[in-house]
Amino acid sequence: KSSRASRVQRVRIERARRDRREYQLVAMTSLYVAIKINEPIEMDAMTMSQLSRGLQSAQDIISCEQDILSCLRWKMNGPTSYQFISYILELLPDSTNLNIALQLYTDSHRQVELSVQDPVFVPIRRSNVAIAAILNALNGIELIDFPSEKRAAFLQSVFESFGIQSDSPLLRLVRKRLLHISRIALRCRAPQSQSPRRVDRFDYVRASRPHPTSCKSC
């Protein structure tokens, strides 16, 4: 059955390369799948058929959807780095101040938002990006606000849950890259009239989405 499905998928791919109508079917079905996964609205195959002005039937779209999902082995909706951040922050000790949790959430989200624009992060696991962002955000919180014993317990839970070493070379590289792009974002947002200032490793917490700019660093 698996071999037959694989042959059907190869035939459909080859046909889409040569046949404009088949190419349209694959494109519309891909859009249909993306809408079902990411959008709150409901759309059925009949609606997509109507959007194609009758060129594609609802049954054709359903059949193509099955082929696409089988080809991708149903790996369609893995957790994003944003979702991993929420999961990780649930490991915070129960007595953690809500403001600390909110600061970690906000600062790590800003880093992840910047990472989406950097192709370096494409092959990196989303969980590793989330962990690195939270570790960087944690460095911006004073010990008096989040004591070392709570910090250690939180980090131990994170590393054990994800099976990663605290001194992982990959994690160090990801953290370094996140800090780097955060500094670039800060420089691009700085008013041109101001003289350059030193950006320290805690300044990333003030970084946000970079605005359109002619800065060559972006």
Side-chain angles (χ1 to χ4, degrees), residues 1 25 31 44-45 56 61 75 79 86 108 119 125 132 134 143 146 156 166 173 185 204 208 217:
K1 183 178 180 180
L25 173 61
L31 175 62
D44 57 19
Q56 311 294 347
I61 292 172
K75 296 179 180 179
S86 298
S108 53
R125 287 185 175 181
I134 287 177
L143 283 175
F146 193 49
Q156 183 178 357
S166 58
L173 288 173
Y204 72 86
S208 59
S217 299

Side-chain angles (χ1 to χ4, degrees), residues 184-191 206-211:
I184 290 177
L186 283 171
R187 285 200 295 268
C188 292
R189 285 178 56 83
R206 293 186 292 273
S208 59
R209 179 181 297 176
H211 292 274

